[in-house]
Amino acid sequence: MYSKNSDILKKGYGKVAKAVMTDSNLSVKAKGLLAYFYAFAGSGKGVFPAKKTILAQLKISNTAYYNALHQLTEHNYLAIQQSKDGGKFSKNEYTIVN
């Protein structure tokens, strides 16, 4: 029997530690955002989707996105570095902290 999810692991995956999911300092949205980032990191791709894509796929607001990012950086789950292109700030690089 064919299922649209039969090749689901080929589409990317990531492992999220139980400690992340049980951390009472993180909101459900922060945990979901980190799990989303883990899924992209697990697929072997080095690029995260654009913020617009993340907001649309996770169905969260801009405010919820920034609140989640703040929680993740504050509790050292995620590091953000802004890169420069031609002397101007451009993309953010997100690094999952182990």
Side-chain angles (χ1 to χ4, degrees), residues 41-75:
S43 68
K45 296 179 183 175
V47 179
F48 289 115
K51 183 180 80 169
K52 181 178 176 180
T53 303
I54 295 169
L55 298 179
Q57 289 181 341
L58 295 181
K59 295 180 173 62
I60 59 175
S61 69
N62 199 47
T63 301
Y65 172 76
Y66 282 112
N67 285 341
L69 276 182
H70 176 73
Q71 288 176 34
L72 294 172
T73 56
E74 179 182 12
H75 296 288

Side-chain angles (χ1 to χ4, degrees), residues 1-18:
M1 174 182 241
Y2 176 77
S3 166
K4 73 176 186 171
N5 292 326
S6 63
D7 293 326
I8 199 163
L9 294 180
K10 292 179 183 176
K11 297 177 182 178
Y13 65 93
K15 295 180 182 179
V16 181
K18 181 180 176 182

Side-chain angles (χ1 to χ4, degrees), residues 17-26 30 34 37-38 71-79 95-98:
K18 181 180 176 182
V20 173
M21 292 295 126
T22 59
D23 188 339
S24 62
N25 293 308
L26 299 178
L34 187 60
F37 286 155
Y38 269 107
Q71 288 176 34
L72 294 172
T73 56
E74 179 182 12
H75 296 288
N76 204 34
Y77 287 107
L78 195 66
T95 304
I96 298 169
V97 179
N98 290 328

